[in-house]
Amino acid sequence: MPDTEHLGPRRAASPESALPGRRLSELAEQAVRCTTDCCGAGTTVSDGGTERPAAVTHPDLAALVSMQLRTGEGPIPAALERGEPVESGDLLREECWPQYRAMALDSGVRSSVTIPFRRAGLTVTLSLYSFRAGGLEDAPHGPARALGDLAATCLVRDRSYRAALTELDQLGAALRTRPVVDQACGIVMHVLACDADAAFKVLRRISQGTNRKLSEVASALVDSRGRGLERELVSLSN
């Protein structure tokens, strides 16, 4: 089972299969199985924010991925910037990324390739590693690319699904609080002899002025039936 390192907070999501970490772990594991001379893999996903879930197939690779994202040095940042595969055919002869080279060689990695996949504001990277120089020359055009394309598409779909669930929850909350807001508006309309729009504006001004949710303001007003608040309501309506 791949080791997973989340470089930033992870939002709760459901179902479990929709979690970015689960998708990334599956991608890394499958990419290793279908790529000749590949000794391990690492994956990341970013939407431009601070949250960067990542997964690797070996603990040593977790530190290698984390270092690149933290320092901006290495093939992962380069692939994110260029939007195309970045290959290091022989790290013993590579001249750039000294920190990445040293850490990779210390882990026994001799060559690597990082392939980026961009979909609807998301960027997925798949990094493949080999103990042999030149062992990953064909990887950017092999099965790993197809797996990365599929994973990126699934992550976009998962994000849309989670957004739809959030919107549904918000709509449900709004529907549940609507009756008490309507009751509060009725009280304000009675006290101020105003219409519904004016009453709602008064409730909203109270909400903003007291830094409370509109539903909380409405509930408090209904509980008190507006008693003792006549003068305050009149002042807010002006």
Side-chain angles (χ1 to χ4, degrees):
M1 188 72 180
D3 293 302
T4 302
E5 179 181 1
H6 294 286
L7 310 178
R10 190 178 76 183
R11 302 186 193 96
S14 179
E16 183 181 357
S17 62
L19 294 173
R22 176 74 172 271
R23 294 284 189 200
L24 295 177
S25 294
E26 292 172 349
L27 171 59
E29 191 174 43
Q30 292 170 1
V32 172
R33 287 202 296 261
C34 72
T35 304
T36 304
D37 287 330
C38 182
C39 65
T43 56
T44 72
V45 62
S46 173
D47 60 2
T50 58
E51 184 180 351
R52 292 182 178 181
V56 295
T57 57
H58 191 278
D60 288 347
L61 298 180
L64 193 60
V65 170
S66 180
M67 181 275 294
Q68 293 181 73
L69 297 180
R70 185 180 67 254
T71 65
E73 174 193 309
I76 293 177
L80 288 171
E81 180 181 352
R82 301 174 192 174
E84 59 186 29
V86 175
E87 183 178 355
S88 298
D90 189 350
L91 288 170
L92 281 177
R93 301 182 180 182
E94 188 71 62
E95 296 182 355
C96 57
W97 314 318
Q99 190 173 352
Y100 168 76
R101 286 180 59 245
M103 184 175 289
L105 290 171
D106 187 57
S107 300
V109 172
R110 185 70 181 273
S111 61
S112 69
V113 60
T114 296
I115 312 169
F117 305 89
R118 290 178 176 169
R119 297 284 189 285
L122 285 181
T123 301
V124 177
T125 67
L126 171 61
S127 298
L128 304 172
Y129 303 93
S130 176
F131 292 138
R132 190 168 67 86
L136 300 170
E137 292 180 352
D138 298 329
H141 313 290
R145 173 172 284 279
L147 288 172
D149 281 328
L150 177 60
T153 300
C154 288
L155 283 165
V156 170
R157 184 191 65 192
D158 293 343
R159 183 179 63 170
S160 298
Y161 176 73
R162 293 195 301 273
L165 286 181
T166 299
E167 184 177 354
L168 185 61
D169 287 343
Q170 293 172 345
L171 178 60
L175 290 174
R176 288 191 296 272
T177 59
R178 181 61 185 268
V180 72
V181 172
D182 287 343
Q183 290 180 54
C185 281
I187 293 173
V188 175
M189 290 168 64
H190 175 73
V191 171
L192 301 180
C194 64
D195 60 21
D197 287 342
F200 184 78
K201 289 179 181 179
V202 170
L203 291 180
R204 189 167 58 186
R205 289 180 65 181
I206 297 175
S207 172
Q208 294 171 345
T210 59
N211 196 29
R212 290 185 296 167
K213 292 181 179 179
L214 184 64
S215 59
E216 294 176 359
V217 171
S219 180
L221 188 59
V222 169
D223 289 343
S224 68
R225 299 185 183 278
R227 289 191 293 269
L229 299 176
E230 292 85 351
R231 186 174 299 177
E232 181 181 355
L233 292 175
V234 170
S235 66
L236 288 170
S237 66
N238 296 328

